[in-house]
Amino acid sequence: DADVTQTPRNRITKTGKRIMLECSQTKGHDRMYWYRQDPGLGLRLIYYSFDVKDINKGEISDGYSVSRQAQAKFSLSLESAIPNQTALYFCATSDFRTGYQETQYFGPGTRLLVL
Amino acid sequence: GQNIDQPTEMTATEGAIVQINCTYQTSGFNGLFWYQQHAGEAPTFLSYNVLDGLEEKGRFSSFLSRSKGYSYLLLKELQMKDSASYLCAVRDGGNTGKLIFGQGTTLQVKP
């Protein structure tokens, strides 16, 4: 079974709708991240969380919110979806205890299309 | 500001060697990562450098020069399955674990 899972894998929604993307991990990692990927722009950080009570904005948090329901679960919400939020969304996890070589491990991604 | 530059696309021949360069200007530095990403799939970890020099892992090697803000990923004995995007990422200073990604280099391996 995959260590980092994302649901749904694909989603089509309409402008103005609220949607939630979910991420679960079985790696036992404390840190979790949400990124979006757009062609030519690379991966950009939306939100990150060091533990259940510690949530931080990334470089492009406007229009998004998150919830860390448990150490293993981190959800991303689009309160009112707009077409320029069409992108590939990745969740990632990392283990603070590994020190400098703290590596991020990515889920399979959610492809979102906002019409 | 934070800036990481990589070539957008590269093409190489099966069996050959290719070098993918990455230059960076960041406010902090706690190491540089290379990830491989096949189309539509998740990025997967390839290598990590925090000290100057070359790290070798089988067909893949990664080099870092901190004074020059420069890294490269070297792929030897190219195979068709190496066709993918290669992402350079710098770990932010401090203790955040945050990564700053370049836009990625799409490598096409031809027969």
Side-chain angles (χ1 to χ4, degrees):
Chain A
D1 290 338
D3 295 321
V4 185
T5 57
Q6 293 183 234
T7 55
R9 294 294 313 279
N10 294 279
R11 178 74 184 268
I12 301 173
T13 192
K14 295 183 179 179
T15 297
K17 294 291 187 182
R18 182 181 188 276
I19 67 162
M20 180 182 289
L21 309 182
E22 298 187 341
C23 176
S24 294
Q25 53 116 345
T26 58
K27 299 180 80 66
H29 288 174
D30 48 352
R31 296 182 171 184
M32 298 186 75
Y33 309 81
W34 275 105
Y35 292 90
R36 65 177 281 176
Q37 187 173 40
D38 300 274
L41 292 179
L43 284 160
R44 293 183 292 166
L45 184 63
I46 306 172
Y47 271 95
Y48 61 103
S49 172
F50 287 170
D51 63 37
V52 174
K53 296 181 180 179
D54 187 355
I55 293 177
N56 305 276
K57 292 182 178 180
E59 59 178 306
I60 54 162
S61 59
D62 288 348
Y64 301 95
S65 63
V66 291
S67 173
R68 184 85 183 263
Q69 301 95 324
Q71 188 199 33
K73 296 185 183 293
F74 193 34
S75 300
L76 176 72
S77 293
L78 285 67
E79 298 302 326
S80 179
I82 56 176
N84 78 359
Q85 291 178 312
T86 293
L88 184 55
Y89 289 84
F90 286 103
C91 173
T93 74
S94 67
D95 185 353
F96 167 72
R97 294 165 294 179
T98 54
Y100 276 118
Q101 197 172 343
E102 181 180 339
T103 301
Q104 291 188 18
Y105 297 91
F106 287 81
T110 294
R111 192 170 296 278
L112 175 66
L113 174 61
V114 183
L115 300 174
Chain B
Q2 317 273 50
N3 192 44
I4 299 177
D5 284 323
Q6 308 176 232
T8 303
E9 295 179 340
M10 299 183 71
T11 302
T13 304
E14 190 176 16
I17 299 172
V18 71
Q19 178 174 311
I20 302 174
N21 295 325
C22 172
T23 58
Y24 64 90
Q25 288 179 304
T26 57
S27 55
F29 182 84
N30 268 335
L32 187 144
F33 292 79
W34 284 96
Y35 281 82
Q36 180 190 59
Q37 184 180 23
H38 286 99
E41 297 183 8
T44 55
F45 169 74
L46 285 178
S47 69
Y48 171 76
N49 295 69
V50 67
L51 300 176
D52 291 351
L54 189 68
E55 295 280 343
E56 296 185 81
K57 272 189 182 181
R59 293 189 300 114
F60 292 10
S61 302
S62 57
F63 172 83
L64 176 67
S65 168
R66 289 172 297 171
S67 63
K68 295 182 179 178
Y70 168 68
S71 173
Y72 66 73
L73 181 69
L74 192 71
L75 291 74
K76 303 175 184 175
E77 301 170 14
L78 279 172
Q79 302 175 9
M80 298 300 291
K81 68 179 182 180
D82 297 329
S83 293
S85 289
Y86 292 85
L87 314 180
C88 172
V90 171
R91 184 167 175 225
D92 202 355
N95 195 29
T96 66
K98 286 165 54 179
L99 294 180
I100 305 160
F101 283 86
Q103 76 272 28
T105 299
T106 300
L107 172 67
Q108 184 180 15
V109 180
K110 294 185 174 180

